[in-house]
Structure formats: C-alpha cells, structure tokens
Amino acid sequence: MSILGNVQRVLALFADGAVDLSFTEAAAQLDLPKSSASHLLNQMQRYGLLDQHPVTRRYRAGALLGRAAHAAYVSSVLDDECRNVLEQLSSRSGLTAYLSALSGHDTVVLQRLNGSAPVQVLSSPGSRRDATSTAMGRALLSRLNAPELHALYGQDAASALPVASQGAFATLEQLQDCLGEVSEARHAIAIDGPIPGVGAIAAAVRSPLDGELRGLCISFVSSLQPSAAQIERWRALLLFEVGSLGRRIGDPFWKFPSGQ
C-alpha cells in the first residue's frame, strides 16, 4: 500500500473515535510490521499530522489537522458570535466548552476552550463522534427539519440505524423520539455515553439567513459525581448563553427565553 494509503488508515483510526494511541496499538490495528509502523508514525509526526505526548509517548491527531478541519467550515459572523459565547461558557462554568458542526452522521469539533477546573474533558479540534450518541450530536440533529433528517437516516421509522448509531438507538423511531424531547427542552444532556465517566450539556443555534448550524456544549467529569444542583446550574448557564445568542442572530427557535 502507498504511503498516502497508510496515512489515510492512521487518520481513520482517529476519525472512528480513537482519542490517542500507543505505538503498539497503532501497529496492531494497522497490521503493519513494527519497523514500517514506526517510520510511518514518525513521518506523520514530523509533518504535523500527529502529536506525541512527551511523557506517555501516545499519539494524537495533530494540531495541523484541527486547523484544516476548521478551515473546511467557512468562518462567518455566526462563528464569531459562537466563539464569544464559548468564552463565557468556559469562564463561568470552569468546564471545557466546545463548538461543533454536523458532518454527515458525525459531529466535528471546531473549537475547544479549556476551563479552570483541575480536571478537564479534552477532545481535539477535528475530532469526530457519531451524532446520535452524544449530547452535542443530539442537540444538532434536533435542529434539522424532516427532509434533512430523512436524508441522513431514511424515512422508515422502523428501519435500523447505521451500526455506529445503534449503541444509542436501534431504529429511526427511537432516535426521532429522543430528538423530539431534546427539541422541546431546547438542550440535550448525556452522561456516561460513548466516553464513560464524562457528561455533557449541549444546545444548538441556526442562522436564519443561510441555515448554518452550530452546537455548543460544556463537558464535565461525571465520575467526580457533581451534585444535581451543580448540573442544574450548568444547564441554566448553557440555556441562558446559547438562548441569548440565538435571539441575537434572529434564530426563531430561541425567540423566547427558556421556560417562557
């Protein structure tokens, strides 16, 4: 296989959900001789496609990939507004705040701001997750109209969802029921979902001018057992900040403050 083919296979490991990989894990999953895997990973690190932790020596998707992924989404007034809200969410909650978009069946992280809490939930820009299994994805999917949702998952309510989605929902009907609840609440919460020990609260805004869709969320370490009152404060903060953003950009979904 060509060098580019093997580069694509490495990147696919991260696109499919790997957060980081040891040399041994990467070589095994790629089914390459150790010498070939070592040369491949070293070259990818040299050119910015991978980063390697100086202590653990584990590989992560490189910062260059995150910048390239972000460039795939045209910067707009909406993105600028979202970044301002991201700063508020991160600083006021102390948690990691994320800005994401939909890409097919996945969410893609566009930007991450770390909070002040000593333990953070970190996913690199460019990271992808199946949308049905995360709070961010469900918030974004809940803002799609019926034709857009059907274009992704079909129209038969009893039809099975793609394999990657079936950890959360077996059928389109189950997904639609969940998205209806998310739409009514105007936010999604997922705790101990695809990443055990992690929780997230998310909501989405959509530009009335061009339909551009963005999701914002704050993530917390659920294994630290935050109280119900603390989670409620985070939920209220997210609804306030994202709702205010929605009203500023004229998103009719956020015409009235939450609870009215």
Side-chain angles (χ1 to χ4, degrees):
M1 180 175 289
S2 69
I3 182 67
L4 288 179
N6 282 324
V7 167
Q8 187 275 334
R9 293 176 65 208
V10 173
L11 298 182
L13 297 177
F14 294 100
D16 290 340
V19 176
D20 56 25
L21 292 166
S22 70
F23 167 76
T24 301
E25 290 168 342
Q29 293 190 50
L30 295 169
D31 193 24
L32 289 174
K34 289 187 176 181
S35 59
S36 299
S38 177
H39 177 73
L40 173 65
L41 297 176
N42 287 337
Q43 288 294 99
M44 291 182 68
Q45 181 186 3
R46 177 183 176 185
Y47 289 101
L49 299 178
L50 293 178
D51 292 330
Q52 189 175 36
H53 194 282
V55 177
T56 68
R57 310 304 294 169
R58 295 179 71 85
Y59 292 94
R60 299 176 64 97
L64 177 62
L65 292 175
R67 295 198 299 271
H70 185 272
Y73 298 89
V74 179
S75 182
S76 64
V77 173
L78 176 59
D79 286 316
D80 293 338
E81 290 277 2
C82 286
R83 292 186 189 102
N84 292 334
V85 173
L86 214 61
E87 292 176 0
Q88 291 298 314
L89 290 174
S90 178
S91 63
R92 294 182 62 188
S93 70
L95 302 174
T96 311
Y98 289 95
L99 173 67
S100 295
L102 273 179
S103 176
H105 296 98
D106 298 334
T107 60
V108 180
V109 175
L110 301 182
Q111 187 172 1
R112 181 192 78 206
L113 286 183
N114 297 349
S116 58
V119 181
Q120 298 283 312
V121 179
L122 303 180
S123 292
S124 301
S127 297
R128 302 173 75 97
R129 296 279 181 196
D130 171 66
T132 67
S133 61
T134 65
M136 179 73 87
R138 293 169 190 175
L140 286 163
L141 291 174
S142 74
R143 298 301 313 276
L144 299 182
N145 58 37
E148 289 171 330
L149 191 66
H150 292 159
L152 285 176
Y153 299 105
Q155 300 188 45
D156 182 0
S159 64
L161 293 176
V163 173
S165 304
Q166 291 182 12
F169 307 102
T171 66
L172 176 58
E173 183 177 26
Q174 292 176 0
L175 173 61
Q176 288 175 314
D177 288 343
C178 173
L179 297 182
E181 294 172 359
V182 170
S183 180
E184 184 174 355
R186 294 199 275 192
H187 72 286
I189 298 180
I191 299 177
D192 296 326
I195 307 177
V198 171
I201 310 169
V205 293
R206 192 162 200 180
S207 169
L209 299 177
D210 57 13
E212 199 170 15
L213 180 61
R214 294 290 184 267
L216 299 100
C217 86
I218 46 179
S219 294
F220 55 93
V221 181
S222 59
S223 58
L224 296 180
Q225 299 182 330
S227 67
Q230 181 62 75
I231 293 175
E232 173 57 26
R233 286 193 289 271
W234 291 333
R235 188 191 71 86
L237 170 64
L238 184 93
L239 281 172
F240 174 79
E241 292 292 347
V242 178
S244 297
L245 168 61
R247 288 186 288 278
R248 285 198 301 275
I249 66 171
D251 183 350
F253 182 79
W254 296 100
K255 183 176 181 181
F256 300 107
S258 179
Q260 295 188 19

